[in-house]
């Protein structure tokens, strides 16, 4: 359950850990799709072998997808690194006022 905001007392907060995971996966998928599209798009005429057998573009599309996916992950990770507040604990973002803070982890239960 999210805590209330420390600045405006709003109760709707975004867990930045979860948002970062979703963002990195989305960045990888979108970057991979863009990379594959750019790698397979041609500005010149296709050779006869590539026109008859479209799977000839598959290695190029895979290399473009991997490269684009890596770029997407790097961009998304750097964006979230700017948003995350310093320190330890669960990072939260208040969409109402834009305040980001960390809630410290609860103490571990004593082992019996």
């Amino acid at each position: 359950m999210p805590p209330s905001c420390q600045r405006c007392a709003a109760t709707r907060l975004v867990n930045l850990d979860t948002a970062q995971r979703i963002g990195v996966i989305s960045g990888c998928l979108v970057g991979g799709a863009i990379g594959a599209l750019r790698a397979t798009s041609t500005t010149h005429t296709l050779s006869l072998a590539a026109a008859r057998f479209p799977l000839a573009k598959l290695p190029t599309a895979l290399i473009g997808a991997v490269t684009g996916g890596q770029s997407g992950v790097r961009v998304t990770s750097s964006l979230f690194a700017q948003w995350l507040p310093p320190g330890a604990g669960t990072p939260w973002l208040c969409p109402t006022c834009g305040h980001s803070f960390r809630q410290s982890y609860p103490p571990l239960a004593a082992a019996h």
Side-chain angles (χ1 to χ4, degrees):
M1 180 166 188
S4 60
C5 179
Q6 298 171 347
R7 186 181 292 170
C8 68
T11 57
R12 293 183 181 222
L13 298 175
V14 177
N15 185 336
L16 288 177
D17 280 340
T18 304
Q20 182 178 14
R21 288 183 189 120
I22 293 170
V24 167
I25 291 170
S26 300
C28 181
L29 292 174
V30 170
I34 291 171
L37 181 67
R38 284 186 178 172
T40 57
S41 64
T42 58
T43 57
H44 58 283
T45 59
L46 294 174
S47 68
L48 187 58
R52 287 186 185 166
F53 189 60
L55 289 178
K57 291 184 176 183
L58 187 62
T60 306
L62 286 174
I63 291 170
V66 168
T67 305
Q70 290 172 348
S71 298
V73 166
R74 268 189 253 118
V75 167
T76 310
S77 297
S78 67
L79 286 174
F80 272 98
Q82 296 173 4
W83 290 344
L84 292 175
T90 305
W92 295 95
L93 173 70
C94 177
T96 305
C97 67
H99 177 62
S100 62
F101 63 96
R102 288 191 182 261
Q103 181 185 20
S104 61
Y105 296 119
L108 297 173
H112 295 289

